[in-house]
Amino acid sequence: MNRQQRRGRHSTAVDSAERGAVTAEFAVALPAVVLVLALLLSSAACGIVQVRLEESARLAARAMARGDDPARVQAIAHEVSPEAVVQTGSRAEATGNLATVTCSRPAPGVIGKATGWRLTATATAPVESVEAEQ
């Protein structure tokens, strides 16, 4: 009885040199797959945080343009993006006064830890004056 007959009809013959090759290939490829997945998820998180920062800056600029006090402007910005650093300012333009708010924070996830990037959003709104409404 030869070797293949002893193994049975349904089994496949595998060289002893090839035994475990798939496991070794999987072990080599797994870290690369994990890295790509981490970068993909971190990129998505950066996009979500950027949208929140833009919304936070927009709402805070609108509140500042209405004449809300600086503490209220900060609170409005932190409602949408609690970890944001909020900077407020105003500037005079030829078309009128503008309220400007800048919100920023470190990038989340692997990208933020590896690169130290900061995400920033700036919004500007025309200052509402009481005289213009009368």
Side-chain angles (χ1 to χ4, degrees):
M1 183 181 287
N2 68 16
R3 187 176 186 187
Q4 199 158 12
Q5 289 174 340
R6 274 187 267 144
R7 287 190 179 165
R9 277 181 12 186
H10 300 291
S11 66
T12 59
V14 177
D15 268 0
S16 60
E18 291 182 15
R19 198 166 266 253
V22 173
T23 304
E25 290 170 3
F26 181 72
V28 169
L30 186 62
V33 171
V34 169
L35 179 65
V36 168
L37 182 61
L39 288 174
L40 180 67
L41 292 174
S42 188
S43 297
C46 283
I48 291 169
V49 167
Q50 183 65 39
V51 168
R52 285 187 178 173
L53 284 173
E54 290 171 5
E55 182 70 10
S56 178
R58 185 187 65 79
L59 290 172
R62 182 78 177 117
M64 189 176 165
R66 281 192 317 257
D68 289 0
D69 64 284
R72 179 69 184 135
V73 171
Q74 293 273 342
I76 288 171
H78 286 286
E79 284 177 15
V80 178
S81 185
E83 297 176 9
V85 175
V86 181
Q87 299 171 341
T88 60
S90 60
R91 61 180 188 229
E93 299 270 331
T95 58
N97 289 334
L98 297 174
T100 303
V101 175
T102 301
C103 297
S104 65
R105 66 160 280 186
V110 175
I111 291 176
K113 290 177 183 172
T115 63
W117 286 348
R118 289 194 69 78
L119 301 175
T120 303
T122 301
T124 303
V127 174
E128 297 176 7
S129 64
V130 177
E131 298 167 2
E133 293 177 5
Q134 295 177 354

